[in-house]
Amino acid sequence: MDKTIDLNLTFPDTKARWENFLINQGIKDFSSREVDVLDHTVGLIDEDGHLVGTGSIAGKVLKYIAVSNDNSVHGARFNQIVSALQEYLFSQKIYHSFVFTKAKYSSSFAHLGFNELAHTDTAAFLESGTPSIQDFLAKIPRIENQNQKEVAAIVMNANPFTLGHQKLVQLASSENDLVYVFVVATDASLFKTSERIDLVKKGTAKFKNVVVVSGGDYLVSRSTFPAYFLKSPDELITTQTEIDALIFKNIIAPELTIKKRYLGTEPFSRTTNFYNQSLQKILSPSIAVKIVHRFRDNEKIITATSVRQLIKNSDLKDISTLVPPTTMNFINENYQILQERIKKGMNIDGN
């Protein structure tokens, strides 16, 4: 009978054995982006001492699940690996988990109680446990007769919240009865999720028809989207965009009666431009997409990237023309903390 064991990937021999097994199963991406975030890895050992299955956990995402079905009942080893990973999560008091997998494996996870949230030709995104996406949506505030109102949405990282973000929200606020601003909830930015949400709330407080909420686990950041089973960076962008758009279009927007989504251009980012074009294609025509050109300060485009670079270079006086007073106050009060994060290697590039 196969035995489940913990695999310590800090041991070179163990990691090499693990990688070789996965390579034989067709998985070849062991980049730091994928492997460094792993919290726990298990293996299945058969009676002859061979590694015949493995799976890992990153946060609450199941990754690197692969089994050899030689000399085994089909599905038995897969079930054993997934069960072992969920037992580990339960031991950590985590009762909600996700998996991004090849589309053809979605039904296998569904048989184990996972609920598919979205799928493309390439990949599927599923969840198990609570709080579920319906629980997430139930906590979001509504207004009276919302289904009869003009409701719009903006999704932003706001790393940090700038005057450009504020003007985009102001525009949406002036054109709709209610605007939801979803803040991407991933602590892979210079400004932590809680800080970014707070800055967005303070920076939009004067717009009384704006509701700021965390994007939770359902507005997926590219930094957390597993790519180890995809063939290329371009396929990662395409797949992540499609999954993100389908969840928004088919689950989030109908529940909140969202009819329009606002996007800001990013003239210096090929990835963001591709993302915007893909969202427009997938969301239309059921959800109108309005792409707004970046706002400028004296002909200079306002971007959060510029603000982070100025923080790194200690050019605080130039930041005040790019961010609202609430963001400027936070930067002044937490300047040393932000500098320490940068010195420790926090990436300030990107959007």
Side-chain angles (χ1 to χ4, degrees):
M1 182 176 177
D2 299 334
K3 180 181 178 182
T4 305
I5 64 169
D6 292 342
L7 296 179
N8 189 336
L9 300 184
T10 62
F11 295 152
D13 289 348
T14 301
K15 187 176 182 182
R17 185 185 186 191
W18 174 76
E19 288 184 357
N20 287 335
F21 175 77
L22 288 171
I23 289 170
N24 288 333
Q25 304 305 314
I27 296 174
K28 301 177 182 179
D29 183 353
F30 305 105
S31 62
S32 59
R33 177 192 185 278
E34 299 292 341
V35 176
D36 289 356
V37 297
L38 299 182
D39 300 312
H40 186 70
T41 298
V42 299
L44 274 185
I45 305 298
D46 68 10
E47 294 178 347
D48 297 322
H50 298 131
L51 183 64
V52 293
T54 186
S56 299
I57 292 286
K60 50 186 172 181
V61 177
L62 280 61
K63 298 178 63 171
Y64 285 114
I65 296 175
V67 296
S68 168
N69 287 314
D70 294 345
N71 304 315
S72 174
V73 176
H74 184 76
R77 286 172 174 164
F78 173 80
N79 295 353
Q80 195 171 344
I81 285 290
V82 174
S83 296
L85 294 175
Q86 290 188 306
E87 286 175 11
Y88 169 79
L89 288 173
F90 294 160
S91 74
Q92 303 300 306
K93 301 188 185 305
I94 299 173
Y95 305 105
H96 187 212
S97 57
F98 296 92
V99 63
F100 301 87
T101 186
K102 289 183 178 180
K104 65 181 180 180
Y105 298 135
S106 179
S107 60
S108 297
F109 284 97
H111 289 149
L112 296 181
F114 281 78
N115 175 44
E116 184 182 275
L117 300 176
H119 75 270
T120 69
D121 292 340
T122 305
F125 179 37
L126 304 93
E127 72 172 346
S128 175
T130 56
S132 67
I133 192 167
Q134 294 304 325
D135 297 322
F136 164 75
L137 291 169
K139 292 181 179 180
I140 296 177
R142 271 78 160 174
I143 61 174
E144 188 175 356
N145 299 321
Q146 184 160 319
N147 62 342
Q148 301 172 25
K149 305 292 186 179
E150 289 298 316
V151 183
I154 303 171
V155 179
M156 61 176 64
N157 197 28
N159 181 36
F161 187 74
T162 67
L163 287 173
H165 291 120
Q166 190 179 63
K167 289 179 179 179
L168 180 63
V169 175
Q170 181 178 15
L171 175 65
S173 173
S174 69
E175 295 179 344
N176 298 276
D177 299 310
L178 173 64
V179 179
Y180 288 109
V181 178
F182 294 95
V183 182
V184 175
T186 304
D187 278 325
S189 306
L190 177 59
F191 292 77
K192 294 183 177 181
T193 298
S194 59
E195 295 167 349
R196 290 184 287 110
I197 291 174
D198 187 56
L199 289 177
V200 176
K201 286 182 176 180
K202 289 177 178 176
T204 61
K206 61 184 177 181
F207 309 124
K208 301 307 178 184
N209 62 338
V210 171
V211 175
V212 179
V213 294
S214 168
D217 296 306
Y218 303 103
L219 294 161
V220 184
S221 167
R222 283 185 289 276
S223 65
T224 58
F225 191 91
Y228 63 90
F229 61 90
L230 301 175
K231 296 178 181 178
S232 67
D234 283 349
E235 189 174 29
L236 166 61
I237 297 169
T238 301
T239 303
Q240 189 269 331
T241 302
E242 290 176 345
I243 292 289
D244 188 58
L246 289 169
I247 291 174
F248 186 85
K249 177 181 180 179
N250 297 330
I251 303 177
I252 295 175
E255 183 70 25
L256 299 175
T257 65
I258 294 169
K259 303 178 182 71
K260 185 185 295 184
R261 181 157 165 180
Y262 287 74
L263 305 173
T265 59
E266 177 50 77
F268 306 116
S269 173
R270 169 183 169 272
T271 298
T272 300
N273 286 331
F274 177 83
Y275 186 79
N276 286 351
Q277 292 169 13
S278 297
L279 278 177
Q280 191 170 26
K281 180 180 178 181
I282 295 168
L283 296 181
S284 299
S286 58
I287 299 171
V289 176
K290 184 165 185 174
I291 298 180
V292 180
H293 289 290
R294 288 277 178 158
F295 296 96
R296 296 173 179 265
D297 171 57
N298 293 326
E299 298 305 313
K300 184 179 181 181
I301 295 173
I302 300 173
T303 69
T305 305
S306 300
V307 175
R308 296 194 300 275
Q309 191 63 52
L310 289 169
I311 293 172
K312 179 182 179 181
N313 296 338
S314 302
D315 294 333
L316 295 188
K317 62 181 178 60
D318 293 331
I319 296 176
S320 61
T321 63
L322 304 177
V323 301
T326 47
T327 299
M328 193 69 240
N329 291 340
F330 179 89
I331 292 172
N332 283 327
E333 293 170 3
N334 296 275
Y335 172 70
Q336 292 300 330
I337 294 173
L338 296 171
Q339 282 288 340
E340 283 300 316
R341 291 176 187 171
I342 293 172
K343 289 177 182 177
K344 289 180 180 179
M346 176 59 70
N347 182 21
I348 64 168
D349 297 327
N351 300 322

